[in-house]
């Protein structure tokens, strides 16, 4: 299956017809960032730590501004914004600040006997100028967490927030300009023309989060300059509920994972797989959890969000087949509101199973049991996340061994993001590369091998030609590959 879901209806870039103003702005931003990098401003550890502390201050002091913007863009509640956007990013920054020095310390590695007295180290050096392109669904977290990683790596950065979450983009641009190094950290706002112009520039790394269609555009543009790329993409993340699972807890956690941010979460459980017997027991529990969390009228719940725009609202309404609705199904175009909705009797042929849902619609799909679930999952693109509810450790082991996904969450969706040392990223069509915690340092630095060999005693003499007599026999004995027993 290919990612057609969230395919942009915006046209693909044509670099020849590129907007001249956008091209000039992109070139100017990249030139300023590059000057800062080449001038050495971003490399000292003290600069990195100062910038990370300023970024933290931006989030704390600017929390009200950001919460208002998130409410305007996504109807996101202040509590949700504090947990998933502001608090999340502050934790990520704190974790980087705590470990940065030890993660950046050169790592000694052993040398072969043929290089006596030599010293070999892995030194983490900055990459240069990094481009961060962010999406609209967690517009603060997904712009600033990669930015924090890139700063920690000692890079200059150009950040391009998503124009789709317009209020947050403007707020971020203003706050970043006020708080961070105005040369080394550049913000370019805008949509396709501006991003196209940026992609024509040369970067040392591009970090893109969003849909796979644009991911391919980014990869193609990067190829021209041989720029390495991290792609944080999406796809359909399955959830399998085993008959050994605690169904009440499973229902509550699935509802939380699915309907947070009105389902507009890249790692939200996209659909549920279970046997008919388990689905029939799970259905009322899902409806009950929805009622408990958001009340009888989720439209009036302060904790329930809205769909980002009319295009996504219409797309999602088209996925709700009325005959399949077992819970919810209500919509209101004026407020881009879609009730938390559960569909039963869904098969792999239904439209809702052809694309990433990315909204508050949860299909329940019957499978024959664990073998059927594993086959179903392995027949499709490798997902960004896979969730399993089970009390049986042999089932967990089978999922670990027999399926592949960006991450595997056992008995809890979404929470793997809260563990800062778990690398976060996809596999196959759900992405390439990873970040968070130490993985951010690995992504945003180059691991340079440094070998130092003393000259006082020239131990290398053994391998200088000519090879003859005793020297030849010695070298051949030392270097010859040995048979292993
Ligand atoms: P989006 O529309 O905001 O696009 C993402 C970025 O790409 C924006 O900055 C936008 O300006 C830029 N862009 C759009 N069209 C472009 C073009 N033609 N050329 C160049 N740049 C362009 O966000 P989206 O793609 O709708 O985001 C939703 C998708 O992102 C879902 O598939 C979701 O699963 C995925 N996602 C993944 C993660 C992750 O961490 N893996 C996180 C969030 C979202």
């Amino acid at each position: 299956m290919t990612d057609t879901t969230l395919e942009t209806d915006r046209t693909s870039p044509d670099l020849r017809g590129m907007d001249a103003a956008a091209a000039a702005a992109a070139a100017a931003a990249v030139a300023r960032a590059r000057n800062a990098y080449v001038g050495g401003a971003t490399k000292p550890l003290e600069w990195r730590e100062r910038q990370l502390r300023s970024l933290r201050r931006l989030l704390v002091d600017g929390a009200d501004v950001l919460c208002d913007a998130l409410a305007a863009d996504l109807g996101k509640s202040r509590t949700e914004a504090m947990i998933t956007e502001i608090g999340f990013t502050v934790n990520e920054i704190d974790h980087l600040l705590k470990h940065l020095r030890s993660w950046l310390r050169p790592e000694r590695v052993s040398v072969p006997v043929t290089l006596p007295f030599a010293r070999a180290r892995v030194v983490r050096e900055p990459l240069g100028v990094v481009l961060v392109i962010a999406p609209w669904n967690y517009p603060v977290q997904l712009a600033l967490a990669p930015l924090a990683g890139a700063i920690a790596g000692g890079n200059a950065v150009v950040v391009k927030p998503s124009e789709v979450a317009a209020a947050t983009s403007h707020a971020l641009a203003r706050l970043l300009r006020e708080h961070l190094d105005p040369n080394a950290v550049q913000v370019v706002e805008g949509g396709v023309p501006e991003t196209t112009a940026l992609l024509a520039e040369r970067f040392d790394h591009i970090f893109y989060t969003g849909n796979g269609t644009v991911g391919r555009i980014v990869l193609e543009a990067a190829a021209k300059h041989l720029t390495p790329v991290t792609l944080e993409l999406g796809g359909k993340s399955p959830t399998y509920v085993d008959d050994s699972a605690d169904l009440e807890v499973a229902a509550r956690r699935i509802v939380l994972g699915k309907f947070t941010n009105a389902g507009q979460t890249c790692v939200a459980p996209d659909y549920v797989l279970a046997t008919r017997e388990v689905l029939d027991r799970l259905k009322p529990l899902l409806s009950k959890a929805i009622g408990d969390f958001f009340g009888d009228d989720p439209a009036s719940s302060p904790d329930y969000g809205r769909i980002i725009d009319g295009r996504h609202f219409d797309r999602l309404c088209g996925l709700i087949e009325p005959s399949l609705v077992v819970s919810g199904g209500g919509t209101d175009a004026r407020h881009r509101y879609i009730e938390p909705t559960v569909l039963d009797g869904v098969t792999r042929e239904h439209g809702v199973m052809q694309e990433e849902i990315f909204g508050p619609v949860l299909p329940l799909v019957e499978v024959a049991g664990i073998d059927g679930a594993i086959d179903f999952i392995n027949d499709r693109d490798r997902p960004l996340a896979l969730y399993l509810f089970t009390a049986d450790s042999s089932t967990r082991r089978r999922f670990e061994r027999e399926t592949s996904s960006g991450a595997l969450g056992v008995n809890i969706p979404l929470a793997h993001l809260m563990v800062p040392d778990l690398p976060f990223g996809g596999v196959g069509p759900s992405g390439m590369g990873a970040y968070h915690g130490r993985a951010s340092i690995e992504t945003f630095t180059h691991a340079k091998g440094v070998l130092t060999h003393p000259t006082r005693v020239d131990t290398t003499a053994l391998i200088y030609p000519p090879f003859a007599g005793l020297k030849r026999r010695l070298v051949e004995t030392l270097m010859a590959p040995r048979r292993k027993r």
Side-chain angles (χ1 to χ4, degrees):
M1 196 189 73
T2 49
D3 166 25
T4 52
T5 344
L6 303 160
E7 237 170 68
T8 168
D9 57 2
R10 296 162 281 182
T11 49
S12 64
D14 173 357
L15 299 184
R16 283 157 307 171
M18 206 165 57
D19 185 304
V30 177
R32 276 184 85 173
R34 188 152 305 278
N35 278 343
Y37 178 74
V38 172
T42 66
K43 289 183 187 167
L45 262 169
E46 295 68 29
W47 180 88
R48 307 182 198 191
E49 288 172 338
R50 237 185 358 260
Q51 292 300 304
L52 288 174
R53 281 195 289 271
S54 298
L55 192 55
R56 190 184 197 287
R57 214 166 311 118
L58 175 162
L59 284 156
V60 175
D61 295 349
D64 288 344
V65 172
L66 291 171
C67 285
D68 288 350
L70 289 163
D73 286 329
L74 286 147
K76 206 172 271 200
S77 77
R78 188 179 169 87
T79 318
E80 196 178 305
M82 281 298 185
I83 298 169
T84 63
E85 303 258 20
I86 292 163
F88 178 93
T89 315
V90 167
N91 286 343
E92 177 69 15
I93 293 170
D94 286 345
H95 193 63
L96 285 169
L97 277 168
K98 184 168 173 199
H99 297 285
L100 188 56
R101 286 182 181 251
S102 69
W103 288 339
L104 288 171
R105 209 167 285 140
E107 187 193 334
R108 192 124 181 220
V109 294
S110 60
V111 294
V113 285
T114 40
L115 289 172
F117 311 118
R119 263 188 341 138
R121 287 169 308 140
V122 180
V123 173
R124 296 234 155 242
E125 65 178 21
L127 298 172
V129 182
V130 172
L131 172 63
V132 172
I133 304 176
W136 52 264
N137 62 329
Y138 288 87
V140 174
Q141 180 202 137
L142 298 173
L144 301 192
L147 170 65
I151 288 173
N155 302 286
V157 191
V158 178
V159 185
K160 215 298 289 171
S162 176
E163 76 286 9
V164 181
T168 312
S169 172
H170 302 331
L172 280 176
R174 181 169 71 72
L175 290 169
L176 283 167
R177 284 179 192 128
E178 282 170 12
H179 284 78
L180 294 198
D181 182 325
N183 295 315
V185 178
Q186 297 289 314
V187 187
V188 175
E189 283 196 88
V192 177
E194 290 73 14
T195 320
T196 304
L198 281 170
L199 288 172
E201 296 290 323
R202 182 174 70 79
F203 290 92
D204 301 294
H205 193 91
I206 300 177
F207 188 101
Y208 167 80
T209 307
N211 69 73
T213 306
V214 176
R216 288 169 177 84
I217 293 173
V218 170
L219 204 50
E220 233 175 86
K224 288 201 187 74
H225 300 290
L226 279 182
T227 300
V229 170
T230 304
L231 297 179
E232 295 282 342
L233 309 177
K236 289 178 88 61
S237 295
T239 297
Y240 174 61
V241 184
D242 185 37
D243 56 7
S244 70
D246 179 328
L247 295 189
E248 274 181 41
V249 174
R252 282 198 292 270
R253 292 184 184 175
I254 291 169
V255 166
L256 181 70
K258 180 71 185 189
F259 299 112
T260 293
N261 204 25
Q264 301 162 111
T265 303
C266 57
V267 286
D270 189 274
Y271 57 92
V272 172
L273 298 171
T275 60
R276 174 46 51 199
E277 195 257 324
V278 169
L279 288 179
D280 286 342
R281 283 164 50 216
L282 190 63
K283 266 187 299 189
L285 297 171
L286 290 168
S287 303
K288 179 172 184 313
I290 292 169
D292 288 350
F293 290 0
F294 306 114
D296 292 339
D297 176 23
S300 57
S301 163
D303 299 319
Y304 188 65
R306 296 295 180 268
I307 305 307
I308 184 72
D309 61 17
R311 182 169 74 88
H312 282 285
F313 175 85
D314 292 342
R315 179 183 65 76
L316 287 161
C317 289
L319 299 179
I320 302 174
E321 218 167 284
S323 62
L324 303 177
V325 172
V326 291
S327 182
T331 63
D332 177 354
R334 271 177 318 148
H335 299 106
R336 303 188 315 275
Y337 165 74
I338 298 182
E339 202 177 349
T341 297
V342 181
L343 307 177
D344 191 18
V346 176
T347 66
R348 59 184 81 207
E349 281 73 39
H350 282 105
V352 74
M353 292 305 290
Q354 309 309 316
E355 55 180 62
E356 179 181 357
I357 297 169
F358 219 57
V361 181
L362 180 68
L364 308 181
V365 182
E366 182 184 337
V367 286
I370 180 167
D371 291 323
I374 290 176
D375 287 348
F376 192 99
I377 291 159
N378 289 343
D379 270 355
R380 310 180 140 245
D381 284 346
R382 282 177 286 170
L384 185 58
L386 168 58
Y387 303 117
L388 163 67
F389 284 87
T390 185
D392 182 349
S393 52
S394 66
T395 302
R396 177 181 54 73
R397 278 196 297 275
R398 279 200 63 188
F399 267 74
E400 261 187 60
R401 266 198 318 265
E402 296 176 35
T403 65
S404 172
S405 52
L408 172 65
V410 183
N411 294 326
I412 181 115
L414 270 50
H416 56 287
L417 270 94
M418 289 156 62
V419 182
D421 282 330
L422 283 180
F424 178 69
V427 56
S430 57
M432 58 177 78
Y435 73 129
H436 288 178
R438 191 175 196 139
S440 286
I441 299 297
E442 282 158 14
T443 289
F444 291 113
T445 59
H446 163 59
K448 178 162 76 178
V450 178
L451 178 69
T452 311
H453 204 14
T455 52
R456 205 158 341 140
V457 183
D458 194 358
T459 49
T460 332
L462 192 63
I463 54 168
Y464 295 148
F467 299 109
L470 177 64
K471 184 171 170 180
R472 183 173 61 80
R473 282 201 300 281
L474 200 60
V475 170
E476 284 181 3
T477 311
L478 272 176
M479 303 301 272
R482 287 190 183 78
R483 230 180 267 286
K484 284 225 181 324
R485 285 184 207 191

